[in-house]
Amino acid sequence: MQLSACSKFLGRILINTNRTDFAADWLALQETIRCFIVLDRNDSVVFCNAMAGATYSPSHNRYFLSLDCFWLESEQRIFHPSEFRKLSGQQVDLLFKVKNHAPIELRFLPEEIEISGNQYLNIKLVNESLLTTHNTAPSVTLMDELVSDLAAGRLFVHYQPQYDAENETLFGVEALVRWIRQDGEQIPPDTFIPLEESYNFIAELDLWVLDHVCQQLAYWESKGIELPVTAVNFSASSFNDVYLSEKILKTLKDNEVHPRNITIEITESKEINCYSQAEKTIFELYNAGLKISLDDFGIGFSNFNRLAQIPVSQLKLDRSFVLNLPKFIYTEISKSILSIAHNLSLAVIAEGIENEQQLQILQSLGYTIFQGYFFSKPLPASDFENWLAQHQHSNISIDSLV
């Protein structure tokens, strides 16, 4: 069996310990193919059998499995690795998908183990022989550069204001992550967000953004700067994490940010696979005081059926509808979405406003809350603070923004 994968993890740990028994224990764990993956206390994959075809990140000393590699056939949904913890000591049958191979049925046995005083969850293979023909080596891709740049501080949070034209006030702010590589190149979110979703890193990034937002809000509050509400995007894929609500609420508590100051903006570029679990998480967040928003409403998987299932506070009219105004079909769709939202007492934000014509059409339809480059591009925290200073002592008129 190949031991190069575990050697990376072993080397990191041995830096901080002289215990040779740790090395013996760890290597003994890898003696057979039965050790498939190992999770630490945070459910990060710290060891992954080479046959699993994961991507290894040297900067984070962890592995990233494909989001949909585990499939629970009995419930027709993706099985998140963190779910193994609740099944410790129990066998579980899953379909496992490896790139360029057909899915295979495997039986796993999660077991708690202790190595040198550290607790891990060893996910063992019961029917190990089925993997003998699946040997896909880990690859280093743009994903590794992403997690490396995250650790190096080359990902940033920018803030874009949301304007209430009816009351001429700031309605709220959306926090948006930006990636600027070491050479200065800015990688578009449309490029790296799907990458994160594919490698099951999106929940970690969403929580990173939330933590930075909460730190920034606490800093602004110390300076007497208060925002109505700040929206933080969470991918639908993030809701496959059964501990997501717990992690979000802990982040708010650690930073002393009240839940009413945060809107969780659900972006459904991918379908939520275990909707019952996602619905439970959303209700937990809503009951704790957070607002729930459906982003890109009217496209993808974000649709009217969601309104009947989860406690939504607001909708965001997708920019694709705004971009195609004043075409008849897009005007009628925009009108219908606003009508339904008002009947349900939901706030509606029209995003992607780039010119005065779009603004005027939407205002004529009854829209009052807007977001887009026509008013302001997403700004670094310091620039956004300056923007606030320019507008905090008077009503914010459209003329003062454009």
Side-chain angles (χ1 to χ4, degrees):
M1 174 180 173
Q2 298 180 2
L3 294 177
S4 58
C6 71
S7 297
K8 296 169 183 175
F9 176 72
L10 177 62
R12 174 168 64 93
I13 300 297
L14 288 178
I15 292 174
N16 299 314
T17 180
N18 293 320
R19 291 182 55 183
T20 56
D21 60 329
F22 171 83
D25 289 345
W26 186 258
L27 291 174
L29 185 64
Q30 321 301 329
E31 283 181 355
T32 72
I33 197 172
R34 293 183 68 198
C35 177
F36 192 66
I37 62 174
V38 178
L39 307 179
D40 66 10
R41 288 183 299 177
N42 298 315
D43 294 326
S44 295
V45 181
V46 293
F47 169 79
C48 185
N49 190 292
M51 297 178 183
T55 294
Y56 176 68
S57 166
S59 58
H60 278 60
N61 290 296
R62 58 171 289 192
Y63 291 82
F64 297 101
L65 292 164
S66 176
L67 173 65
D68 60 351
C69 64
F70 294 110
W71 179 262
L72 185 58
E73 183 70 13
S74 61
E75 297 182 14
Q76 289 293 296
R77 66 174 179 85
I78 288 174
F79 184 92
H80 193 273
S82 63
E83 295 182 71
F84 280 117
R85 192 165 300 280
K86 291 185 177 181
L87 300 172
S88 181
Q90 305 176 44
Q91 294 186 4
V92 54
D93 292 330
L94 299 170
L95 286 177
F96 182 74
K97 302 178 183 179
V98 185
K99 290 180 180 179
N100 302 319
H101 293 284
I104 53 175
E105 186 174 348
L106 296 175
R107 179 165 294 169
F108 298 96
L109 177 63
E111 291 183 341
E112 299 282 350
I113 58 173
E114 180 177 329
I115 300 180
S116 192
N118 297 310
Q119 298 295 323
Y120 299 94
L121 188 67
N122 179 27
I123 316 301
K124 296 167 58 177
L125 271 177
V126 177
N127 51 351
E128 58 189 70
S129 61
L130 292 179
L131 267 186
T132 54
T133 59
H134 294 262
N135 192 355
T136 305
S139 61
V140 178
T141 63
L142 186 64
M143 184 65 206
D144 180 56
E145 185 178 353
L146 172 63
V147 293
S148 177
D149 280 1
L150 178 62
R154 286 191 278 273
L155 269 73
F156 307 90
V157 178
H158 288 190
Y159 299 85
Q160 188 172 35
Q162 298 167 333
Y163 173 58
D164 184 341
E166 184 176 31
N167 298 303
E168 295 189 337
T169 59
L170 181 69
F171 175 83
V173 180
E174 181 177 5
L176 299 161
V177 64
R178 294 292 184 262
W179 179 16
I180 303 177
R181 300 168 79 173
Q182 190 172 10
D183 61 5
E185 180 187 3
Q186 183 164 322
I187 306 298
D190 288 347
T191 297
F192 68 85
I193 295 297
L195 182 67
E196 293 159 344
E197 291 178 327
S198 297
Y199 283 95
N200 201 21
F201 185 68
I202 189 64
E204 187 163 341
L205 181 71
D206 288 345
L207 289 165
W208 178 89
V209 172
L210 177 65
D211 185 54
H212 276 65
V213 167
C214 288
Q215 291 180 43
Q216 186 64 55
L217 292 179
Y219 171 73
W220 277 334
E221 185 178 3
S222 71
K223 298 180 64 176
I225 301 173
E226 294 187 9
L227 301 179
V229 67
T230 302
V232 180
N233 288 286
F234 272 79
S235 166
S237 301
S238 295
F239 287 85
N240 292 316
D241 184 347
V242 296
Y243 302 108
L244 182 64
S245 61
E246 178 182 329
K247 293 174 181 177
I248 289 175
L249 295 176
K250 184 179 185 301
T251 300
L252 269 61
K253 182 179 179 181
D254 289 347
N255 290 282
E256 299 182 346
V257 172
H258 197 283
R260 66 170 175 266
N261 295 327
I262 297 293
T263 295
I264 299 299
E265 196 165 294
I266 303 173
T267 305
E268 290 195 71
S269 57
K270 289 191 174 183
E271 186 174 13
I272 296 176
N273 292 280
C274 180
Y275 201 79
S276 60
Q277 173 58 47
E279 185 176 316
K280 178 176 178 291
T281 298
I282 292 169
F283 269 96
E284 289 173 348
L285 296 173
Y286 177 80
N287 291 333
L290 288 89
K291 298 179 179 66
I292 305 298
S293 174
L294 288 183
D295 194 15
D296 304 331
F297 190 78
I299 66 169
F301 301 99
S302 183
N303 52 48
F304 292 111
N305 189 43
R306 293 287 187 256
L307 300 181
Q309 296 174 320
I310 58 177
V312 177
S313 306
Q314 68 181 37
L315 306 178
K316 295 193 75 175
L317 179 70
D318 184 67
R319 65 182 68 248
S320 64
F321 298 130
V322 176
L323 182 65
N324 283 284
L325 294 174
K327 293 179 181 178
F328 175 78
I329 185 64
Y330 294 98
T331 300
E332 292 303 307
I333 291 174
S334 300
K335 186 188 302 183
S336 298
I337 290 175
L338 180 65
S339 176
I340 292 175
H342 280 177
N343 290 338
L344 296 175
S345 300
L346 305 178
V348 187
I349 301 174
E351 64 177 339
I353 310 299
E354 296 182 356
N355 57 59
E356 189 172 1
Q357 182 188 33
Q358 293 169 344
L359 175 64
Q360 290 177 347
I361 292 173
L362 289 167
Q363 283 185 309
S364 70
L365 296 178
Y367 283 84
T368 59
I369 306 172
F370 306 99
Q371 177 182 346
Y373 277 71
F374 183 65
F375 302 103
S376 172
K377 66 179 182 180
L379 300 168
S382 57
D383 291 346
F384 182 71
E385 190 174 329
N386 293 333
W387 185 93
L388 284 174
Q390 294 174 12
H391 300 97
Q392 65 179 352
H393 296 301
S394 61
N395 288 347
I396 306 174
S397 66
I398 292 179
D399 291 339
S400 70
L401 293 175
V402 299

